[in-house]
Amino acid sequence: AQSVTQLGSHVSVSEGALVLLRCNYSSSVPPYLFWYVQYPNQGLQLLLKYTSAATLVKGINGFEAEFKKSETSFHLTKPSAHMSDAAEYFCAESYDKVIFGPGTSLSVIP
Amino acid sequence: NAGVTQTPKFRILKIGQSMTLQCTQDMNHNYMYWYRQDPGMGLKLIYYSVGAGITDKGEVPNGYNVSRSTTEDFPLRLELAAPSQTSVYFCASARGPPPLNSPLHFGNGTRLTVT
């Protein structure tokens, strides 16, 4: 069965520090992978998506993610955190249906 | 430029009451989905539809019903509300189906409390 895990339900970083949010997928066949962001009291917005064209995917707001088949991972990074990055982040896998991970709440400390 | 619109934004129900959560999209998307979001659990798929007149169950369909009479609208019905249905409900639509890479477009959610 499809499943997506996100290590760390809550991550805190200082403003200007590296952001690393972890995601591991379960599918034995490389799926389509997505990162979504949810700001308070809003729906989810697409940050970036992996479609097998390139292993390093660049998204909006300076975020990027690297697909590593050997590790079944799709970790999200940003070199320098900004206060406006504080939000909930969801990794999702799309194979025969879209499955979401449990989410990671990112706090940015000034 | 409305995208996916959900109404109401908030609702409080008593146990046993019924209600319909409305969802409409103006992007002519065939694929529509209902998710519920509970703290620490991510999003769970309740029902989905691949086009007008076609619906199917997701991961957690019990206690809910849906219909899809038009491309634009995908209402979610709770017949006998229970406290376990307290959650935030999101409607989403997509241009294409999984496993294609069509991203989901989400509404802003309906926060439902059942007491």
Side-chain angles (χ1 to χ4, degrees):
Chain A
Q2 286 178 259
S3 69
V4 176
T5 56
Q6 292 182 241
L7 185 62
S9 59
H10 187 85
V11 170
S12 291
V13 299
S14 298
E15 191 173 17
L18 171 71
V19 175
L20 171 60
L21 304 181
R22 300 177 187 274
C23 171
N24 289 88
Y25 65 91
S26 66
S27 176
S28 58
V29 177
Y32 293 102
L33 296 165
F34 304 82
W35 275 100
Y36 287 86
V37 60
Q38 182 182 31
Y39 298 104
N41 299 315
Q42 293 185 27
L44 281 69
Q45 304 171 32
L46 181 68
L47 261 184
L48 52 81
K49 61 183 180 184
Y50 167 73
T51 62
S52 76
T55 57
L56 184 63
V57 181
K58 293 189 185 299
I60 62 172
N61 300 337
F63 283 93
E64 60 182 36
E66 186 173 9
F67 173 74
K68 292 186 177 180
K69 183 179 177 182
S70 60
E71 299 177 6
T72 61
S73 69
F74 189 56
H75 301 332
L76 181 71
T77 60
K78 182 174 180 177
S80 177
H82 191 273
M83 295 298 294
S84 61
D85 294 327
E88 188 92 15
Y89 292 81
F90 293 92
C91 183
E93 173 186 77
S94 176
Y95 190 58
D96 62 339
K97 52 184 177 290
V98 181
I99 297 296
F100 285 86
T104 297
S105 177
L106 175 67
S107 298
V108 181
I109 304 165
Chain B
N1 200 22
V4 179
T5 302
Q6 290 183 239
T7 55
K9 288 185 170 57
F10 304 94
R11 184 71 185 267
I12 298 174
L13 281 182
K14 295 188 186 302
I15 294 171
Q17 286 184 322
S18 62
M19 77 162 294
T20 299
L21 283 66
Q22 301 291 345
C23 175
T24 187
Q25 51 92 8
D26 62 0
M27 296 172 283
N28 202 32
H29 286 169
N30 280 323
Y31 295 82
M32 296 189 73
Y33 306 84
W34 274 105
Y35 288 89
R36 60 176 288 171
Q37 183 181 25
D38 301 297
M41 301 294 290
L43 279 76
K44 299 295 184 186
L45 181 63
I46 304 171
Y47 270 95
Y48 65 100
S49 169
V50 302
I54 306 170
T55 62
D56 207 348
K57 296 177 181 179
E59 303 168 86
V60 290
N62 292 343
Y64 307 95
N65 278 299
V66 293
S67 60
R68 184 93 182 274
S69 56
T70 66
T71 299
E72 295 77 21
D73 300 307
F74 190 41
L76 177 72
R77 178 88 177 157
L78 283 71
E79 291 294 349
L80 290 170
S84 60
Q85 294 177 306
T86 294
S87 187
V88 182
Y89 292 85
F90 287 100
C91 179
S93 71
R95 176 175 54 82
L100 297 179
N101 63 350
S102 296
L104 295 171
H105 297 258
F106 283 84
N108 284 336
T110 294
R111 187 175 297 274
L112 176 67
T113 302
V114 182
T115 61

